[in-house]
Amino acid sequence: MSQAREPIVTHVFTADPSAHVFDGRLYVYPSHDLPHDGKNSEEGGQYIMEDYHVFSMTRPGEDVMDHGEALHVRDVPWAERMMWAPDAACKNGKYYLYFPAKDADGIFRIGVAVSDSPTGPFTPDAAPIPESCSIDPAVFTDDDGRSYLYFGGIWGGQLDRWVDGVYDPSRKTPVGDEIAVTPLFAELSDDMHSFRAAPVHVVIQDENGEPIRVCDEERRFFEGSWMNKIGDTYYLSYSTGTTHYVAYATSDKPQGPFTYRGIILKPVVGWTTQHSIVEFEGKWYLFYHDCEFSGGIDHRRTVKWTELTIHEDGSIETLDVRH
């Protein structure tokens, strides 16, 4: 049995946790850091990831089961490397694993793989989702059964290099007072393998309805979007990147626009900050990763969890897990 704010497992390095409840059991779908002695790079080359393991537990703090390898890059026809942060969904009696990877041209795409079990193994489609790009897919299924995919991350995630569905490696990242790049949003088809329409950027705005700017590094989107619905309100949470916060914004529609509300998680040990939020047995939990277990080595991360407090007014209490 583990305590809150301790790694859920230590026999492998895990990061980017996506937590879900399926049939009363809690499942975590993280990425898998492979240890190495290479150097960091602006493109994220230090995050060498080849496969996914699925972990489950009866409830947070209980013993965690490693269900083994669920999908490996060698089994994905279109992918070559960098199997970064995944997510999962259940629909039509099937389980779907969404994942980013670089293709033969070094461009990130989003793939989908299917299984009859939440633990896999997952069988990938032969090609990535048409019109998909970048990293960090997050699936959300609304009360009406419609499912949506939120995805994207700038810099190494390449989202800032896409214009009107075309990848331009020479495109410069917006800077200063320019409007910050925001995650892409698309409704998934009924079979969960394609988009109903071309993805569009969601709007993240301040309290005055103005789009968040690049220079506003404490509030701007960087990567790692996640979606929850609490009551009638949609909560888009995400990493701010350079300032290392997990922030959140709310809307009355799944496509936004989203209005910035505050900080969920203050900086942890390590450069990246990625998370998921899940309700389980009437309580809300935040799953996240840090590098404390490895002594601060950025590409040797471990997934942790802690309870989350959501107030009656809908605000989320800010956490500082380092204190």
Side-chain angles (χ1 to χ4, degrees), residues 231-311:
D232 294 326
T233 302
Y234 297 88
Y235 285 71
L236 175 69
S237 47
Y238 56 91
S239 170
T240 62
T242 52
T243 47
H244 313 296
Y245 292 120
V246 171
Y248 74 105
T250 60
S251 176
D252 60 357
K253 298 182 288 294
Q255 69 269 30
F258 292 89
T259 301
Y260 176 86
R261 294 286 302 278
I263 295 169
I264 297 174
L265 181 65
K266 289 187 176 181
V268 299
V269 177
W271 200 92
T272 63
T273 305
Q274 200 150 326
H275 73 296
S276 60
I277 297 170
V278 64
E279 184 182 16
F280 185 72
E281 296 183 345
K283 295 183 178 181
W284 289 93
Y285 295 92
L286 175 75
F287 282 78
Y288 65 99
H289 68 237
D290 66 20
C291 305
E292 187 176 29
F293 180 73
S294 67
I297 300 174
D298 190 46
H299 56 272
R300 299 185 186 186
R301 298 164 290 180
T302 50
V303 167
K304 300 181 177 182
W305 64 272
T306 188
E307 193 169 339
L308 195 64
T309 299
I310 302 176
H311 299 292

Side-chain angles (χ1 to χ4, degrees), residues 11 35 39 42 44-45 73 80 84 121 131 154 176 184 193 195 205 224 226 274 279-280 288 296-297 301 317:
H11 65 285
K39 296 181 179 180
E42 291 184 0
V73 68
E80 284 208 344
W84 284 8
E131 300 183 282
I154 67 171
L184 286 166
H193 290 268
F195 299 143
Q205 61 191 20
W226 186 260
Q274 200 150 326
E279 184 182 16
F280 185 72
Y288 65 99
I297 300 174
R301 298 164 290 180
E317 187 168 310

Side-chain angles (χ1 to χ4, degrees), residues 109 128-133 151 162 165 184 195-199:
R109 302 283 187 175
I129 298 174
E131 300 183 282
S132 70
C133 65
F151 57 100
W162 284 85
L184 286 166
F195 299 143
R196 287 187 179 274

Side-chain angles (χ1 to χ4, degrees), residues 31-190:
S31 55
H32 179 196
D33 279 335
L34 297 179
H36 63 88
D37 297 321
K39 296 181 179 180
N40 293 0
S41 72
E42 291 184 0
E43 296 298 309
Q46 66 270 32
Y47 304 116
I48 298 176
M49 302 172 176
E50 296 178 350
D51 66 350
Y52 299 112
H53 285 224
V54 179
F55 301 88
S56 72
M57 62 197 84
T58 56
R59 59 182 51 83
E62 296 294 330
D63 291 341
V64 175
M65 181 177 295
D66 180 351
H67 296 275
E69 185 180 281
L71 180 67
H72 195 282
V73 68
R74 64 171 171 262
D75 299 319
V76 182
W78 61 268
E80 284 208 344
R81 62 190 189 281
M82 289 179 148
M83 301 268 278
W84 284 8
D87 193 18
C90 179
K91 200 170 188 178
N92 310 320
K94 300 285 186 179
Y95 296 89
Y96 300 86
L97 183 70
Y98 294 86
F99 60 94
K102 282 189 174 181
D103 62 17
D105 297 321
I107 300 174
F108 270 117
R109 302 283 187 175
I110 306 293
V112 58
V114 187
S115 177
D116 292 325
S117 167
T119 61
F122 290 87
T123 301
D125 287 359
I129 298 174
E131 300 183 282
S132 70
C133 65
S134 196
I135 60 172
D136 296 348
V139 189
F140 168 73
T141 300
D142 210 342
D143 301 331
D144 60 5
R146 298 169 71 176
S147 296
Y148 306 97
L149 193 70
Y150 302 79
F151 57 100
I154 67 171
W155 294 6
Q158 301 179 342
L159 182 61
D160 42 334
R161 299 178 186 174
W162 284 85
V163 184
D164 298 327
V166 178
Y167 179 70
D168 179 3
S170 66
R171 185 170 188 257
K172 302 297 183 183
T173 302
V175 296
D177 199 42
E178 294 181 84
I179 295 174
V181 177
T182 57
L184 286 166
F185 162 89
E187 184 176 354
L188 288 161
S189 60
D190 288 339

